[in-house]
Structure formats: C-alpha cells, structure tokens
C-alpha cells in the first residue's frame, strides 16, 4: 500500500519514464547480462573442450614419435652384433676402426627414422674408441642420475632430458640398460628423440602447450622461450607441478586461466611424460567482449532515442492533462461554472475524458435545478424518520412494562405464600426476557439450556408429576455455540405430541449431548411418550426434504429447526427422527467440529 501511494504521488511524466525504464531498460539489461554470461560460458566451455581434444591429439602423436626409439631400443637390446662390438677386447685402433665400419646399424637407424636424433651406447670397454656411437662413460657421466637409475632398473626404459656431448644440447632421450655378452658388463643405451619434430607437433596448437618429464623439465613446447626450463620456473601452482591427469582453474600472472594435463607412460617404462596445455580466459573471451561492447553501444543509442521519444510522448500527454486539470479546478472553485467548456482534440482516452467532463458539467447544471426540489423532499423524509424513531422508542417501553407487571405479580404471590405460583411467574418472565434478547447470532449451549429449563419448569407447573425431565450434558460441550431456539421447539414437540397424547403414566424427557470421535457434538431429545406411527414418521421425513414447505402458524416447528441447521452447518446436520408408536420418540441433530464458523465444511 505504501508503494502504491508513493507511485500515485509521482508526476505522470516521471511515472511514464520510470515505467519505461522498469519495463524496457531493466529487462534489457538483465537479459543482456544473462546472455553475455552465457556466451562467455559457452565460449570457455568450447575452448576447454578444444584444449582437451588438442592435448589428447598431442599425446597420441607424441606417443607415435617416441614409439620409434622405443622399438629401436628393443631391437638393439637383442642385437648380438652390437653386443659383440661393444664387449670384445681390441688389440689396436685399426681393429676398432674396421669393426666400427663393418657395424652400421646405428647409423642406419638415425638415417632411416626422422624421429631419432642420435643413438649412443655407453660401455666400460677401455680398448674401444669414442665415435659418438660407442662411448666410454667418464666419471661425470657415471654420476648422472639418469645413468645410475638406468643401471638399477633392470632393462626398463626411462625418459628424460639428457645432454648430448656432441653439440652440448639437451634432448628428450630414452635411456636403458643393456646387458652385453660377457657377464658383469653393463651398458646404457641413450636414444635422442628429435625435439624439432615434437616442437612441430606442438606448433600446430593455438594454446601454450608443452611436454615435461618426471622432473618437470620442459622437453618440448610451442613457446621457444620456455624450452629447457623447469616447469617450476614458469608455474608455481602445485597442481600444475604434480597432477598427472585432469583439468582445473588456476591464476597465471594474476589472470584466471585453465589447465589441461594428460600423462603419457610408454610401455615398459619406469617413468613417463606429461602434456600440459594452458590458456587464459581473457584471451578466449576477447572477441566476445568486442561483440558485447559493440552491442552495448548500439543498445545505449537505441535507449537514448527511446527515452527521447518517451519524454516527448509524456510531455504531450501531460500538457493535455494539465489543461483538463485547470478546467476541473475552475469547476471546483465555482468560478465560471456554467460557461466552462473544454475543447481537447483527439479520440484517445484524454479526448474521451474531456468530452465526458463537458457532459458532466452540463449534467451538474441540470441537477442543480433539481436540488431545491430534492431538499424539500429530504426535509419531509427526515420528519418521517423522526416519527419512526419515536415509535421504536415506544416499542422498547412495552416489554419493560410487561416484565415489571410480571415481577409485581410474582412478588404479590410470594407475599401471599404462593411459592409455586411465584416460581412459575419467575420462570415465565425469564423465558420471555431471554426470547426477546435473542438476536441473529449464536449463543452458547448453556444459555440455550437455561431457556429450555425455564420452559420445562413452566410445563411441570401445569402437568405436575406427569412430566419429568433430565439433562445429561457431556463435559466440554457447555461452551459450544449454536443458533438460538434449536432445542426448545423440539422439547415443546415432545410435550405436545408425546405427553398430551399419552393416556396414563409420567413422561420422561431426556436432553443429552455426546462428543464424537472427530470433535463433533450430537444433541438428542428423547421421550417415552406416545410415539409416532410409522406412516406418520415417513410423512415427517418427506416434509423435511421438501424445498418450500408450509410452516405451522404461531410457533417454531421441526421444519424451521431442520432448515436452520442445514443452512448453518451443511446438509448432514439436519434433524434425524426415530420413533415407535407407544414407546417414545428420539430426535437427533449434529453440530460439526469447528462450529465457530458460519458454514461448516466438516460433515457429521
């Protein structure tokens, strides 16, 4: 309500502007922000999927590249000619050179396979010469971690960054121990992988992609400045350094980025490689941001034009409304009332309102002539109303006169010792007073029973010992509310038809209330009077079902009670009559649970 009042206090021009902003601008902004965020999410998701696919493709192609040196290492480990060349004892350098010339398998592998950059076998044979294929390990080589690890892995393959003595360049290399023919002679085979080939594979990727070994040395990358560095120098995120597979979000150089990692562990290897691809979210959404900025400029331009149009339309509307308001003010002040005429063109609501205003002014001028005549009739009506008020006051005096008269009779009977007569007069006075005070609302069961008790006491004064009554009221039902004059007509019916038609013996009337399982209250009026024949009971049931029956004159009958129950509590709360001729009659009705309402939804 406060919001509506505040809205009504705003000028129409501002109200139209606010309406336009609320209806057009705000939804446009919300939808734009929502669609922008969705566009960013879709682009990031597509890019992430592309990066994942790229990493998988790089892993497969890298696996194809390193499979060649892996197969060569298997062939060389079973090459007896190479083992013979490496393990025999030579007498002279000439013999060594001739043997090297005769064994050309290593040179052939390098020449035939572009995946291999170099092959060398480190063997501790002092009679051999170093020809960059068969080499004697010096003390520095023997202390290298890769050399010692290869000797301890019993023929398993290892991958890592190894320096080639020829050009002092580090290559991704396969290292493997090879047992020679002589017992106790162990050699280490090193096969350099063609790094240029790996870099060419990675160069096809649009994101920063690299291959690292198990020591996080970057062995291949599409960013040349990173080659040969350790991954810890580039990324400080622990997951990038340690996680073998998966994808996650990181902050690189203070910007939100995504990382995709896939591991590659070749067959029969004690370690493997990891392919890592990273991309910044800002780089991905850069094109989308350009589109968004362009769309924002277009939207802002359209909004400015729309606001100008709305302002012009609002000004046109408000100017016409102000003219109408001024003419209404003239009518309100009474100046120029008779000759006030408003001329607003247009067939819209404002033009229609102006025409209705002119018609209203003409109608008022006609009504003014009728006011004087109506005033005269109004004064006459007020006189008649005052007469009605006096009559109402007089009607209120009559009951008081009756009660005062009955009280005088009761006191006179009491003074003469006629206690029974005094008691009867008192019961009659109470019964009349309660009946007159009954309104259209509901009363408590205890109040209804007080009227019934007064009525029964009056009847006992008449019938003496032929009439007995008993009240059996269940606990918790005294405060139940019900319409007035529900039980007394039923008790009256028991006396008239049960007692008067009974030839001999006393008649006992029992008024009983019972509390049902679901909170409903059952009221029973039972007598042992003359009873009702079966055919008459059926006739009574038919009369109760009729829509418009004829009610008995001068008293409130069964039909009246039955209809009031059904109208108040529903169709299930009407009267139920059980009677046997010569045995008595029982009339029952039900008050549903929750009887504080006017119409009840609970059936009895």
């Amino acid at each position: 309500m406060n919001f509506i009042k505040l809205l009504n206090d705003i000028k129409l021009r501002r109200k139209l502007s606010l309406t336009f902003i609320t209806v057009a601008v705000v939804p446009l902004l919300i939808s734009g922000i929502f669609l922008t965020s969705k566009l960013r999410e879709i682009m990031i998701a597509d890019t992430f999927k592309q990066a994942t696919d790229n990493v998988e493709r790089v892993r497969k192609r890298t696996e194809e590249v390193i499979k060649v040196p892996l197969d060569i290492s298997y062939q060389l480990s079973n090459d007896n000619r190479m083992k013979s060349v490496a393990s025999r004892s030579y007498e002279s350098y000439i013999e060594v050179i001739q043997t090297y010339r005769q064994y050309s398998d290593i040179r052939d592998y390098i020449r035939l396979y572009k995946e291999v950059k170099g092959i060398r076998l480190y063997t501790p044979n002092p009679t051999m010469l170093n020809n960059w294929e068969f080499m004697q390990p010096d003390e520095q080589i023997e202390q290298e971690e890769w050399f010692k690890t290869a000797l301890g892995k019993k023929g398993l393959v290892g991958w890592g960054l190894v320096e080639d003595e020829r050009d002092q360049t580090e290559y991704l290399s396969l290292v493997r121990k090879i047992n020679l023919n002589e017992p106790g002679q162990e050699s280490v085979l090193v096969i350099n992988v063609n790094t240029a080939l790996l870099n060419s594979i990675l160069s096809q990727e649009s994101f920063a992609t690299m291959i690292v070994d198990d020591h996080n040395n970057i062995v291949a990358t599409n960013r040349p400045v990173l080659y040969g560095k350790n991954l810890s120098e580039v990324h400080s995120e622990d997951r990038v350094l340690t996680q073998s597979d998966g994808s996650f979000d990181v902050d690189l150089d203070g910007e939100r980025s995504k990382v995709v990692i896939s591991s590659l562990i070749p067959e029969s290897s004690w370690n493997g490689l990891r392919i890592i691809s990273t991309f910044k979210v800002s780089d991905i959404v850069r094109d989308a941001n350009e589109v968004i900025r362009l769309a924002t400029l277009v939207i802002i331009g359209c909004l400015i034009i729309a606001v100008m149009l709305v302002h012009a339309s609002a000004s046109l509307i408000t100017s016409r409304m102000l003219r109408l308001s001024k003419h209404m003010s003239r009518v309100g002040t009474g100046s120029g009332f008779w000759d006030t005429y408003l001329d607003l063109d247009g067939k819209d609501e404002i033009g229609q309102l102006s025409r209705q205003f002119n018609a209203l002014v003409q109608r008022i001028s006609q009504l003014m002539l009728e006011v004087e005549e109506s005033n005269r009739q109004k004064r006459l009506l007020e006189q008649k109303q005052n007469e009605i008020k006096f009559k109402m006051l007089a009607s209120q005096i009559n009951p008081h006169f009756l009660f005062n008269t009955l009280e005088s009779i009761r006191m006179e009977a009491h003074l003469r010792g006629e206690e029974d007569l005094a008691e009867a007069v008192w019961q009659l006075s109470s019964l009349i007073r309660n009946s007159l005070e009954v309104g259209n609302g509901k009363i408590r069961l205890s109040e209804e029973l007080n009227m019934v008790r007064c009525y029964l006491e009056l009847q006992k004064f008449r019938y003496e010992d032929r009439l007995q009554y008993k009240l059996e009221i269940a606990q918790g039902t005294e405060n139940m509310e019900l319409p007035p004059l529900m039980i007394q007509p039923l008790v009256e019916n028991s006396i008239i038809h049960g007692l008067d038609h009974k030839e001999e013996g006393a008649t006992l009337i029992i008024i009983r209330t019972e509390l049902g399982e679901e909170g409903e209250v059952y009221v029973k009026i039972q007598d042992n009077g003359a009873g009702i024949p079966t055919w008459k009971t059926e006739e009574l049931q038919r009369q109760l079902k009729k829509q418009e029956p004829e009610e008995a004159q001068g008293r409130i009958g069964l039909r009246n009670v039955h209809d009031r129950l059904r109208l108040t509590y529903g169709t299930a709360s009407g009267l139920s009559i059980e009677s046997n001729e010569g045995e008595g009659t029982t009339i029952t009705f039900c008050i549903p649970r929750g009887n504080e309402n006017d119409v009840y939804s609970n059936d009895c």
Side-chain angles (χ1 to χ4, degrees), residues 45-55 57 205-207:
D46 291 342
T47 304
F48 181 73
K49 184 178 184 302
Q50 179 185 352
T52 303
D53 295 340
N54 292 346
V55 167
R57 183 174 61 253
E205 306 301 325
S206 57
F207 308 128

Side-chain angles (χ1 to χ4, degrees), residues 12-13 16-17 305-321 348 350:
L12 183 59
R13 183 180 302 175
L16 291 175
S17 301
I305 296 175
V307 169
M308 293 175 63
L309 292 176
V310 170
H311 184 268
S313 300
S315 299
L316 179 61
I317 294 173
T318 53
S319 63
R320 299 172 71 198
M321 294 293 292
D348 59 355
I350 299 178

Side-chain angles (χ1 to χ4, degrees), residues 466 498-505 530:
R466 290 190 61 198
L499 177 60
D500 290 348
H501 295 170
K502 189 174 182 180
E503 297 180 355
E504 58 183 10

Side-chain angles (χ1 to χ4, degrees), residues 36-50 207 279 281 283-289 291-292:
T36 300
S37 62
K38 283 298 179 182
L39 177 61
R40 291 169 59 90
E41 291 177 4
I42 292 173
M43 294 189 66
I44 294 173
D46 291 342
T47 304
F48 181 73
K49 184 178 184 302
Q50 179 185 352
F207 308 128
F279 63 90
V281 175
D283 296 336
I284 302 303
V285 299
R286 184 180 294 110
D287 295 337
N289 290 336
V291 175
I292 292 171

